[in-house]
Amino acid sequence: MGNQSTVRRKTKFNYGVKGWLLILYCCIAWMFVSGGWWNGTAGNVTNGQMALQIFGDSNTVAPILRTNTIIGYVSCIVILFVGILFGKYKTRIMQSILMFVGGIAICFYGSVNSIVTYFIVFLLIDIMANGTSSIGLPQIITQWFPTKKGSALGWATIGTNLAALVTFTIFTALIAKAGFTVTNIIFGIATIVMGLINLIFIKNDPEQAGFKPDNGDFTEEELAAHRARMSGPMTWTNKEAMKDKNFWLIGIAYGILFMCSTGLLQQLVPYQIAMNGPIRAAQMAAAAGSQNVGEFMGAGMGAAAATASTVMKILPALAVPGSIFSGWLDQKIGTRRTAIIMAICYAVACLCAGLLPFNPVTNYAFIFLFFFWMGRKCVCLRP
């Protein structure tokens, strides 16, 4: 009966005041690093600006895109070593260092005037964003909520889902009012401030902040085991991890899922335009009493493009219930089963988009299930 009571408590969202404040900080941090211009969606705004600063022509974006590709590969390698440093040193220190370095680089980004400078600055920012979102923040949540990390991450990663709706909107509004250079300085200073908050207020061991792990929903045996993990040396070395088949299976499986979902997200607007454009053109032709749909195709595609771009800013909010639900389900039935269920949602979404006939029902089912999966995609980032 005692074990059932403990499991029931751990599926409830009773994190305590300090626990909720930590989750709020992580939520804002995730919202920021996911919604900045280094994110793929916001990059569409900055690539042309970078081409203008470096080459004097906003249409000369090909060298920028090639450099971004190289930065992506280099960043993947560097992040491996950053992960090792997170394991060797305290999470709070490494997280703060990443935010300080990334914040300084963001301040300089608005005045970049050469491709070499662009490479260095953007690489540092990319390392900060990936290290923070994929390593630092999940580790903080895990240290404060050792057995509730699934549900806590479900709430914290809401920030990632709302990034396109909130952070990107603030970013574009600031550019319109203050200019590109000043906007980046503001974002850079904000990153440094978040690093200071992390350094001063966030503790590696929650008990140092007067907070019992999992808000006290711990048996004495679990608490002792947690303290031993926090104070003892790493028991699983990087060499041992590389020899474990599950290490590779998890990395490859989630890597493929993330890669495919990123590709789908980037092509979502073109897909909606291509599929809805002819429908809108046919509706316009019918309203005008014309049989020549082709004559309305340009207007139909334009209307579909405007609608798709507007809706894309709102759609990420659909991932919020997916994030909360999958975090709760993670605590209820375990990570493995939850991952399978959410992957099935993603597979059904792809089925609706790729194999079934396009109509409002299949399109709405695709959008809902895809963004529901995107909520889980963020909760997967847990140690």
Side-chain angles (χ1 to χ4, degrees):
M1 188 70 180
N3 289 337
Q4 290 178 352
S5 176
T6 301
V7 172
R8 184 170 60 255
R9 288 199 307 270
K10 290 173 183 175
T11 58
K12 292 186 176 181
F13 306 130
N14 53 331
Y15 305 121
V17 175
K18 291 183 178 180
W20 276 113
L21 287 174
L22 177 85
I23 290 173
L24 177 62
Y25 166 78
C26 291
C27 180
I28 295 172
W30 252 308
M31 185 185 299
F32 182 77
V33 300
S34 299
W37 47 255
W38 47 86
N39 183 278
T41 303
N44 296 328
V45 175
T46 59
N47 288 336
Q49 177 64 31
M50 282 294 100
L52 181 63
Q53 290 183 192
I54 297 172
F55 304 108
D57 182 5
S58 60
N59 294 318
T60 312
V61 296
I64 302 296
L65 296 176
R66 286 196 297 267
T67 305
N68 290 347
T69 301
I70 296 171
I71 288 172
Y73 289 126
V74 175
S75 177
C76 286
I77 297 172
V78 175
I79 284 296
L80 292 175
F81 293 97
V82 171
I84 294 173
L85 291 175
F86 264 99
K88 186 175 182 180
Y89 301 103
K90 297 295 185 181
T91 302
R92 178 175 66 93
I93 299 297
M94 284 300 303
Q95 177 82 350
S96 299
I97 291 173
L98 282 178
M99 287 185 164
F100 292 153
V101 174
I104 293 171
I106 294 171
C107 289
F108 280 103
Y109 183 84
S111 56
V112 164
N113 57 12
S114 74
I115 200 70
V116 174
T117 308
Y118 173 77
F119 176 86
I120 296 171
V121 170
F122 197 7
L123 177 62
L124 291 174
I125 296 168
D126 199 50
I127 292 169
M128 179 276 296
N130 287 319
T132 298
S133 61
S134 301
I135 305 174
L137 294 175
Q139 280 195 3
I140 291 172
I141 292 291
T142 300
Q143 289 164 353
W144 280 57
F145 304 99
T147 63
K148 285 185 176 180
K149 51 184 172 282
S151 62
L153 274 170
W155 285 98
T157 52
I158 287 175
T160 300
N161 305 322
L162 294 179
L165 185 63
V166 179
T167 315
F168 184 50
T169 302
I170 294 173
F171 177 70
T172 52
L174 280 174
I175 290 177
K177 288 185 174 294
F180 188 74
T181 300
V182 175
T183 297
N184 279 283
I185 292 174
I186 293 173
F187 266 62
I189 292 173
T191 305
I192 294 171
V193 169
M194 291 177 68
L196 285 172
I197 293 173
N198 185 85
L199 184 65
I200 296 170
F201 296 105
I202 306 301
K203 306 298 182 183
N204 291 305
D205 186 345
E207 292 187 270
Q208 294 176 355
F211 177 84
K212 288 186 178 182
D214 285 341
N215 194 30
D217 286 343
F218 246 130
T219 64
E220 287 301 320
E221 293 79 8
E222 288 173 328
L223 184 58
H226 172 66
R227 285 172 176 164
R229 284 195 303 270
M230 293 293 295
S231 60
M234 187 185 301
T235 58
W236 205 37
T237 65
N238 294 303
K239 186 176 181 180
E240 290 172 336
M242 298 284 282
K243 292 180 179 179
D244 188 275
K245 68 175 183 179
N246 290 325
F247 172 85
W248 293 102
L249 287 173
I250 292 171
I252 293 172
Y254 277 124
I256 292 173
L257 283 171
F258 289 5
M259 182 172 60
C260 293
S261 59
T262 301
L264 265 178
L265 188 62
Q266 291 178 341
Q267 294 301 316
L268 189 57
V269 169
Y271 169 77
Q272 292 295 318
I273 295 172
M275 302 305 289
N276 281 308
I279 296 175
R280 297 293 291 274
Q283 291 172 345
M284 291 178 179
S290 172
Q291 298 294 322
N292 186 6
V293 178
E295 125 179 52
F296 295 90
M297 191 59 71
M301 298 296 279
T307 302
S309 298
T310 302
V311 171
M312 262 301 293
K313 295 178 181 179
I314 305 171
L315 282 178
L318 290 175
V320 172
S323 181
I324 297 173
F325 171 76
S326 64
W328 173 84
L329 193 63
D330 190 296
Q331 295 296 140
K332 193 75 173 177
I333 65 175
T335 302
R336 180 176 175 272
R337 292 177 180 176
T338 303
I340 291 172
I341 291 172
M342 299 303 290
I344 291 173
C345 289
Y346 177 56
V348 175
C350 293
L351 177 68
C352 291
L355 296 179
L356 297 180
F358 183 87
N359 57 56
V361 174
T362 56
N363 190 38
Y364 292 145
F366 157 63
I367 290 173
F368 176 78
L369 290 172
F370 175 67
F371 280 99
F372 199 71
W373 148 255
M374 290 296 289
R376 172 62 192 178
K377 174 177 177 278
C378 301
V379 181
C380 288
L381 299 174
R382 49 171 286 186

